[in-house]
Amino acid sequence: MRKVIAFFRLVRMPNLIIIFLAQYSMRWGIIYPMYRFLNKQLLLNFPDKITNPQIVKFQVSEPLFFLLCLSTLMIAAAGYIINDYFDVNIDRVNKPDQIIIDKTIKRREAMMAHILISGVAILIAGFVSFRLGLGQYSIIYIAAAFGLWFYSTDFKKQLFTGNLLVALFVAMVPFTVGLYELHLSAKTYSILTLPPFEVNFRFIFNFIAGFSALAFLINLVREIIKDIEDTEGDRLYGCRTIPIVMGLETAKNCVSFLILLIILIIGWIQKDQYDSGAKNSFLYLLLFIQLPLVVLVFLVQKGVAAKDFKRPDRLSKLIMLAGLLYSLVIYYSFMGNA
């Protein structure tokens, strides 16, 4: 039982649950209500041509979508395992109380678990991709599995490379949902992309791409904050992170610049929402994303030692969670009009 609990800690079970919810929130919180809205518009504008109220619907079945999410979770879990495997010495300095490998789970067991979980995840992703006629997309999962291995062995020690790689993997979690579903929808409903209908599935795809881009930026912020927290152990074992190579002040300024960039991007989105009367969305972004980001800049600039960045790290996690819950706002906004 002790090893089972240790394994769940090793694979960061709360993080895996968030990844699972992120993919399902893209499916049911964004794509589904937007499909419902499209159906309503088609019925209203072309009642003589369209009689089926559910003409636009999911193309990826529930069982296949679940398997796709399961593959994502397994690759993430394998990534956490291999990261801790190669980080044992660094973690003895940065977080000695949280070490699992070599303490509860043997190194050999961890490596076998990584290989088994990664291998099964790639097989599942390949099965789903080819079953949907999108075999080319299975390369995403293969690249993620190998990318997380090389991140743990090499990239995380390089200046900025590891940060970018992890942020990219996080962004791909919601992005792949839109990639699979909307590729198939645009193909299945190709007639709806032509006059007189001209339904543009690209709008939904761009929405998810924007969501993923913001996920990329906020996770990049968190990765640099974590590097600041872990400076002591990283320096001892030759890591070339931003705070080590460029100094604490430069790292803080990089984080603040990225946060301000996110605030400006969201502000640009809010302007359109304000003009269109989307008050609920405007207020949610203001209260639960924008204001916490301002607080995050303040906390980062105030920090003078590694221990001072625990609060910014926790706050960045909460902002990411708030970003995920924004899908509920989108759901009710579109369902109210569908």
Side-chain angles (χ1 to χ4, degrees):
M1 188 63 182
R2 186 184 172 200
K3 276 199 174 184
V4 173
I5 295 173
F7 178 78
F8 284 134
R9 286 178 55 207
L10 182 63
V11 299
R12 321 290 203 276
M13 186 55 69
N15 291 3
L16 297 185
I17 293 172
I18 290 175
I19 291 171
F20 184 81
L21 292 176
Q23 294 203 295
Y24 268 90
S25 70
M26 291 300 103
R27 181 175 173 85
W28 288 101
I30 293 179
I31 297 176
Y32 175 71
M34 288 187 177
Y35 276 5
R36 285 281 300 267
F37 181 76
L38 284 180
N39 285 327
K40 180 181 178 181
Q41 295 304 307
L42 288 168
L43 287 168
L44 286 174
N45 295 320
F46 308 102
D48 57 328
K49 293 183 174 64
I50 296 176
T51 56
N52 183 359
Q54 289 297 319
I55 186 171
V56 182
K57 56 186 178 181
F58 287 137
Q59 296 304 296
V60 180
S61 68
E62 288 300 332
L64 290 180
F65 183 74
F66 173 79
L67 288 176
L68 205 61
C69 292
L70 179 62
S71 177
T72 304
L73 295 186
M74 293 176 72
I75 285 176
Y80 286 129
I81 293 171
I82 202 64
N83 183 66
D84 281 11
Y85 179 91
F86 286 110
D87 267 7
V88 168
N89 291 328
I90 294 176
D91 288 342
R92 285 197 178 102
V93 178
N94 291 330
K95 41 188 177 182
D97 297 334
Q98 299 178 34
I99 293 177
I100 296 172
I101 294 177
D102 268 352
K103 189 174 182 181
T104 308
I105 295 176
K106 297 177 182 178
R107 292 178 68 88
R108 177 174 54 84
E109 294 171 335
M111 179 59 74
M112 289 301 296
H114 166 78
I115 293 171
L116 179 63
I117 293 171
S118 290
V120 173
I122 290 172
L123 288 175
I124 292 173
F127 167 76
V128 174
S129 299
F130 282 96
R131 182 72 179 272
L132 294 171
L134 300 172
Q136 69 273 25
Y137 289 155
S138 61
I139 193 67
I140 295 171
Y141 290 84
I142 297 172
F146 281 96
L148 287 171
W149 170 281
F150 288 113
Y151 165 80
S152 301
T153 59
D154 188 36
F155 293 142
K156 73 176 298 178
K157 296 180 180 181
Q158 297 179 13
L159 181 65
F160 212 52
T161 307
N163 303 132
L164 287 172
L165 196 61
V166 170
L168 179 61
F169 289 149
V170 170
M172 290 303 294
V173 169
F175 185 75
T176 50
V177 177
L179 192 63
Y180 277 80
E181 176 61 39
L182 294 169
H183 183 129
L184 290 173
S185 288
K187 184 178 179 180
T188 303
Y189 304 116
S190 57
I191 191 172
L192 296 182
T193 64
L194 302 173
F197 307 110
E198 296 180 296
V199 171
N200 192 352
F201 292 103
R202 188 173 294 277
F203 168 76
I204 307 176
F205 181 82
N206 289 343
F207 191 97
I208 294 177
F211 201 101
S212 302
L214 288 172
F216 170 83
L217 289 173
I218 188 61
N219 198 76
L220 188 57
V221 165
R222 182 166 178 263
E223 284 299 309
I224 299 174
I225 290 173
K226 284 168 59 183
D227 282 346
I228 297 173
E229 282 188 273
D230 295 341
T231 298
E232 184 180 354
D234 289 350
R235 181 179 282 114
L236 283 174
Y237 289 93
C239 296
R240 291 175 51 79
T241 60
I242 292 174
I244 292 173
V245 175
M246 300 182 176
L248 176 61
E249 288 302 315
T250 299
K252 286 164 56 176
N253 290 336
C254 284
V255 170
S256 298
F257 171 78
L258 288 170
I259 295 172
L260 292 174
L261 178 61
I262 296 169
I263 290 172
L264 288 173
I265 292 171
I266 295 177
W268 176 69
I269 295 170
Q270 284 178 296
K271 179 183 180 300
D272 286 344
Q273 292 176 340
Y274 184 83
D275 292 341
S276 63
K279 293 181 180 179
N280 290 338
S281 183
F282 177 90
L283 288 174
Y284 184 93
L285 290 176
L286 177 65
L287 295 175
F288 297 105
I289 306 292
Q290 295 279 54
L291 290 180
L293 284 171
V294 172
V295 174
L296 185 57
V297 171
F298 173 77
L299 291 176
V300 167
Q301 288 297 325
K302 185 181 176 183
V304 294
K307 62 182 178 61
D308 298 329
F309 291 86
K310 292 187 182 297
R311 287 176 65 193
D313 184 19
R314 287 194 292 267
L315 180 56
S316 65
K317 285 183 182 178
L318 291 175
I319 292 171
M320 293 175 71
L321 180 60
L324 175 60
L325 294 175
Y326 179 62
S327 62
L328 294 176
V329 179
I330 299 300
Y331 177 86
Y332 286 109
S333 296
F334 276 89
M335 290 299 284
N337 294 312

